[in-house]
Amino acid sequence: MLDSFLTEGILKKRFFSFIFPQIFLVSSFCFLRLNSFAQSDDMPSSGELINKAWLLHGQRKVEETFAVTQQIIELYKDQADKQQASLSALPKGKEEIEKVQILNDVATAYFIQAESYMRQGKIEEAKNIFKLIIERYPCAQAWDPRGWYWVIAEAAAKSIKKLESGSIEIEKPKKKVSQKPTKIVLYDPGKEDIVNYSKYGEFVNVGTDQYRYIIKDQEGLSIAVGEGIYPNTSSVRWDPAFKTALKQKRLEGDLWDFVHSEDLEAAFFKWATSSEPQGVKLFYTALILEKAGLIKHAIKCYYAIIVHFPGAYGWTYFKTPWYIGQAAIAKIHYLLRKNPQLGLKLVDAQIKIINGFDNNVANDIVITNPGRFVKVNPLLEKFKPKPSKELLSIKKRSGKGRVYVQQYETGDWQLIVDEKPFVLKGITYAPTKVGQSPDEGTMTNWMYDDFNNNGKIDGPFDSFVDKNKNNRQDQDEPAIGDFELMRQMGVNAIRIYHHPRVPSKELLRRLYQEYGIMTIMGDFLGKYALGSGAPWNPGTDYNNPQHKENMMNSVLSMVKEYKDEPFILFWLLGNENVYGYACNADKEPDAFFAFANEVARRIKEIDPNHPVAICSGDVLYLDKFGKHCPDIDIFGANSYRGNYGFGMLWYQVKEIADKPAIITEYGCSAYYEGKSLEEAEEYQADYHKGCWEDIRLNMAFQDGAGNALGGIVFEWLDEWWKGYEPAIHDTKGTWIGPFPDGTMHEEWLGICGQGDGNMSPFLRQLRKAYTVYKQEWKN
């Protein structure tokens, strides 16, 4: 997601950007080239030609670009027109969209032509083609490799708007009154708050892959759990409110549209009576109960998944497995932590999925212990004594300098800087001026930007806080600078990459010396073909000796250049390489991780004084990391799982690799479809608070895995270019995931906003998440 560091204007962001793992059960993942529609052996497919056109356009080869796009139009326009005529609405889902791929490619060819005209300053020609797209191809969509489709006509309309107004503006949230969520009054809440399953059946083979729960008294269990919870599948239909909702036709519509509905009562009935697989059905029923504040019933519902369907799985938006039982355990821990008045704790609950780190669920082996609930005294739990690290012996230490990681005899890990524990409170800092975009080759290097020509770098030293959010700088709003704002927030490290833009040593020295903030320096290790010398398509090959030599040289040059700088915290290799895109780590994970370990070993020959971390994609291929990477000190993962934290990730890293772990990216947008921006900020703050609490509880000498070193928030400031048009603050959702409204809004991820954009890059509007971290990180 650190796309603003990528090469300016070389490739469209349709071809590059960061992908994030996300847990949500809906659509399926698709790759850059979706289908080939060759009409004969000699005729190139529209897909082959459109890929070539994007590449030429990115290289600014105008004549070649027009030649290829015109070839697409001449060969396929008639078929595209027929496909458009066959549609009455925008296709949804991968399969529907792929059926009209020729339509998509022809509309994209026109779009590329219009953009090329726009670059040349031929405004009328560009507008005419953009208008043609809007009129003729309203249902055409193009694929963004970050994981979603974008509607070409919508992008064309925004381009026209930009050409006609030439101004920066914020896309206003849709005017929708935020109604109070409908309360759920349970007709049948069940006879037991915490169900004694032993009364109604038998647990068999606990802790093995032969685990199962055998129901012996289904009626008694149904009465105990209450409506909506397996095996009570009937009492919902007897609920008078259910019958009323049916009469009012409030249950009509697509099931998935109810997940984030304001009508919680209707959503509960819709899901509790759905025909989805039981594990999926129970999870979303529980989620809706949780939203409604029926915490005890939600916990019962989540626990029913663990008891009855521990191996249940779904598929994320990016077509990676989502293990529902593991998520249910994490949800229960989160709810009990948030509601200490319940005086309960879930102990010994564990679901292990052997072979569960790839995309093949057929080889999964599920080992289950459903655990049990025990009564606890919240006060005693809060003040439970922790072992003193001064009395513990050191089991392992990695690093010889002032920065190292060490493991205690308890198995807990800490990052040590200057002989003191260092809790990583990091943030991705990539302030982008509104209106700039790597798509258009206008992205500048924030480390050198001085747009007001006062001799100071803009973001770090000249930004100010727009306290009253009136989008101007008042007399009581002096320049303070992001570095000082981050210091006050409690940030102690930023994450950057040494390429393709050259960092400013002088600036990073000031960041450390004056503000106490260190730098995590990264190399992409061939992701997006950076550092490998590979062409974008097919990208970096981790079996290719020349690519490996180029990457090794890139990394080692970085280390030699910066190893003696006091601001360096540790080295970071890659960025979600296991998700592919201009590299083959997704297809060759063994080769990738083996090479990453070779790089780490070579780094330590030059610099034994700093740890080496990897930035992977959640826990995909974690087993390969554990097998091949003994010389990498820290496992890092970009992970976006929801406001309850990161679930089993910590324990999985501990078991598979016995390494300390960090979350190299996590965050949530400050936009919520249908709610005010103030309400959306509350949801963003809640998400961040829940994630940080989970990180903290899994640090050394706490109640969790003991291997969490901290995390890196994504990100400091909204970046307006990510949705498409860089002069407009897009509110559209880009991909589906476990966010407050079920959607990732890429342009709203900042802990700070840029207001209406007209005072970018200087204006900052601090969001509520900033205050959350200021409180959490200063403690």
Side-chain angles (χ1 to χ4, degrees), residues 408-419:
Y408 299 91
E409 61 184 277
T410 57
D412 298 70
W413 288 88
Q414 284 186 325
L415 177 63
I416 306 295
V417 179
D418 294 329
E419 302 305 322

Side-chain angles (χ1 to χ4, degrees), residues 170-402:
I170 185 170
E171 185 177 283
K172 300 296 183 184
K174 295 178 178 63
K175 296 294 184 181
K176 177 181 175 183
V177 178
S178 180
Q179 68 182 55
K180 209 169 185 180
T182 306
K183 291 183 179 179
I184 299 174
V185 179
L186 294 171
Y187 168 73
D188 176 15
K191 298 295 185 183
E192 298 178 23
D193 287 340
I194 300 299
V195 178
N196 183 356
Y197 278 91
S198 296
K199 287 169 54 178
Y200 310 106
E202 180 183 2
F203 291 99
V204 178
N205 298 319
V206 171
T208 75
D209 61 348
Q210 299 299 311
Y211 163 85
R212 66 187 189 280
Y213 175 72
I214 302 172
I215 301 174
K216 295 184 176 180
D217 180 4
Q218 181 164 330
E219 182 178 355
L221 182 57
S222 295
I223 293 171
V225 296
E227 65 180 305
I229 302 176
Y230 186 86
N232 189 335
T233 57
S234 59
S235 63
V236 169
R237 299 184 183 278
W238 294 102
D239 190 330
F242 172 74
K243 297 176 181 179
T244 299
L246 277 177
K247 289 180 182 178
Q248 294 172 341
K249 298 184 177 180
R250 287 161 50 211
L251 304 187
E252 296 181 356
D254 184 83
L255 178 69
W256 292 101
D257 291 338
F258 283 78
V259 173
H260 298 283
S261 170
E262 293 280 303
D263 188 347
L264 294 176
E265 183 180 72
F268 170 67
F269 292 143
K270 184 78 171 181
W271 270 98
T273 58
S274 73
S275 59
E276 288 293 314
Q278 284 290 347
V280 178
K281 176 179 176 178
L282 285 168
F283 188 88
Y284 287 102
T285 301
L287 180 65
I288 293 158
L289 290 165
E290 178 187 336
K291 288 182 179 182
L294 297 176
I295 303 302
K296 290 181 181 179
H297 210 62
I299 289 172
K300 283 197 292 184
C301 199
Y302 284 127
Y303 192 64
I305 300 170
I306 303 167
V307 171
H308 301 288
F309 310 103
Y313 63 87
W315 294 99
T316 71
Y317 184 85
F318 299 114
K319 204 57 181 175
T320 56
W322 167 46
Y323 294 106
I324 301 169
Q326 292 180 341
I329 292 174
K331 273 288 191 180
I332 292 171
H333 287 315
Y334 168 76
L335 291 176
L336 292 178
R337 186 169 76 238
K338 297 284 283 186
N339 296 275
Q341 73 280 3
L342 296 178
L344 291 170
K345 190 173 185 178
L346 178 62
V347 298
D348 298 330
Q350 190 174 49
I351 299 172
K352 293 183 182 180
I353 313 291
I354 297 176
N355 302 323
F357 299 112
D358 56 21
N359 291 323
N360 178 18
V361 296
N363 63 2
D364 289 350
I365 300 171
V366 183
I367 297 175
T368 305
N369 183 341
R372 67 192 190 283
F373 289 94
V374 296
K375 291 281 187 180
V376 295
N377 185 320
L379 291 177
L380 293 179
E381 284 291 306
K382 185 175 182 180
F383 297 106
K384 190 163 60 177
K386 307 294 181 185
S388 173
K389 66 179 183 300
E390 288 79 10
L391 302 177
L392 297 173
S393 62
I394 305 301
K395 180 181 176 181
K396 188 186 301 183
R397 169 174 168 164
S398 181
K400 299 178 180 179
R402 59 187 285 258

Side-chain angles (χ1 to χ4, degrees), residues 427 429-432 446 457-465 479-489 491 494 511 515 517 716-717 752-754 761-766 770:
I427 200 161
Y429 185 71
T432 304
W446 66 266
I457 307 303
D458 295 330
F461 304 119
D462 264 355
S463 63
F464 71 93
V465 177
I480 183 172
D482 289 340
F483 285 0
E484 174 60 19
L485 289 172
M486 289 192 293
R487 185 196 68 79
Q488 293 180 13
M489 177 175 156
V491 172
I494 64 168
L511 176 64
Y515 302 93
I517 298 174
W716 173 251
L717 189 67
C752 306
Q754 300 201 59
F762 305 105
L763 182 142
R764 302 289 183 263
Q765 292 181 353
L766 303 182
Y770 178 91

